[in-house]
Amino acid sequence: NHVVRGRTVLEIGVGTGLLSLCALNFEATSAVGTDINPAALACAKFNAERFGWSQKFALRLVSKTNAAAFAVIGPDERFDLIISNPPWVDRKPRNDFEFALYDPGFELLKTLLEGLPRHLNPGGRVLLAYGSVSSIKTLYSLSEKHGYQVKVIDDDRKLDDLPEEFLPGMTLEVIVPPEKLKPSNKR
């Protein structure tokens, strides 16, 4: 509860909206959910209406021609908590539903990490769930290049002991040092 209470939330790849709706239920002040799949957004909208969170939950459709993690986020929009259970297999999606599974060349992950300095509030947190060894190793490698740290949350499994794809996935926190955050242009 302390992770979300009083915080603004961005969920990249909102799917059904479950994570955002749980955050709102635990007293997040607002949530924005993005997804490339119109059916996922329709499902998240339905769930938000069903559980009474429509007023605090904004949903945005990501274009397939610009599928970067922050493509539908304004340049000065910042969040206290950025969460995602992103696609974790390096393969090209063939239809809307496969975008939930496949991230070709880990482009979504790359753009997510690149955008954190602009979109994360000071003191904010980034929580990601991945269920493949190669995606987690890519997360570690790219984070190191950006000067971020990665911490595994509540999981004592050894990455080298796991099959390439595994469930349940691991929850990882990307820690962005305060000096990496870009100052906000909002006054």
Side-chain angles (χ1 to χ4, degrees):
N1 184 323
H2 70 282
V3 173
V4 296
R5 179 183 285 138
R7 294 178 183 254
T8 56
V9 175
L10 170 63
E11 183 178 0
I12 297 170
V14 74
T16 64
L18 178 65
L19 296 177
S20 291
L21 294 171
C22 286
L24 289 166
N25 195 51
F26 283 109
E27 301 178 21
T29 59
S30 64
V32 172
T34 68
D35 210 292
I36 200 164
N37 183 347
L41 288 177
C43 182
K45 181 179 185 220
F46 174 84
N47 288 332
E49 289 169 355
R50 172 76 173 87
F51 294 104
W53 292 114
S54 296
Q55 298 302 313
K56 292 187 173 191
F57 192 17
L59 294 164
R60 301 180 190 170
L61 179 64
V62 176
S63 165
K64 289 178 187 68
T65 59
N66 182 9
F70 297 99
V72 294
I73 303 301
D76 289 325
E77 278 186 281
R78 291 177 174 266
F79 300 89
D80 301 313
L81 177 63
I82 296 174
I83 54 177
S84 186
N85 181 7
W88 57 53
V89 177
D90 181 6
R91 191 175 309 151
K92 184 178 168 82
R94 294 173 303 207
N95 58 54
D96 284 353
F97 297 101
E98 287 187 353
F99 278 98
L101 306 170
Y102 303 143
D103 182 12
F106 295 118
E107 283 303 312
L108 180 64
L109 173 58
K110 289 174 187 174
T111 61
L112 191 152
L113 294 174
E114 288 166 2
L116 290 178
R118 178 177 298 278
H119 298 291
L120 186 65
N121 275 327
R125 296 184 73 182
V126 180
L127 300 174
L128 308 175
Y130 276 104
S132 96
V133 172
S134 58
S135 61
I136 293 172
K137 287 183 176 181
T138 301
L139 172 64
Y140 275 104
S141 172
L142 293 173
S143 292
E144 185 178 339
K145 288 179 184 172
H146 285 285
Y148 310 155
Q149 293 180 318
V150 177
K151 180 172 97 175
V152 176
I153 307 291
D154 295 335
D155 199 320
D156 58 2
R157 295 176 291 175
K158 302 288 182 241
L159 204 54
D160 291 332
D161 295 340
L162 295 169
E164 172 55 29
E165 294 178 33
F166 57 88
L167 287 174
M170 282 187 178
T171 303
L172 302 117
E173 181 170 10
V174 178
I175 301 164
V176 181
E179 64 272 11
K180 296 280 184 188
L181 298 176
K182 294 190 179 0
S184 175
N185 292 333
K186 283 189 173 181
R187 300 212 186 273

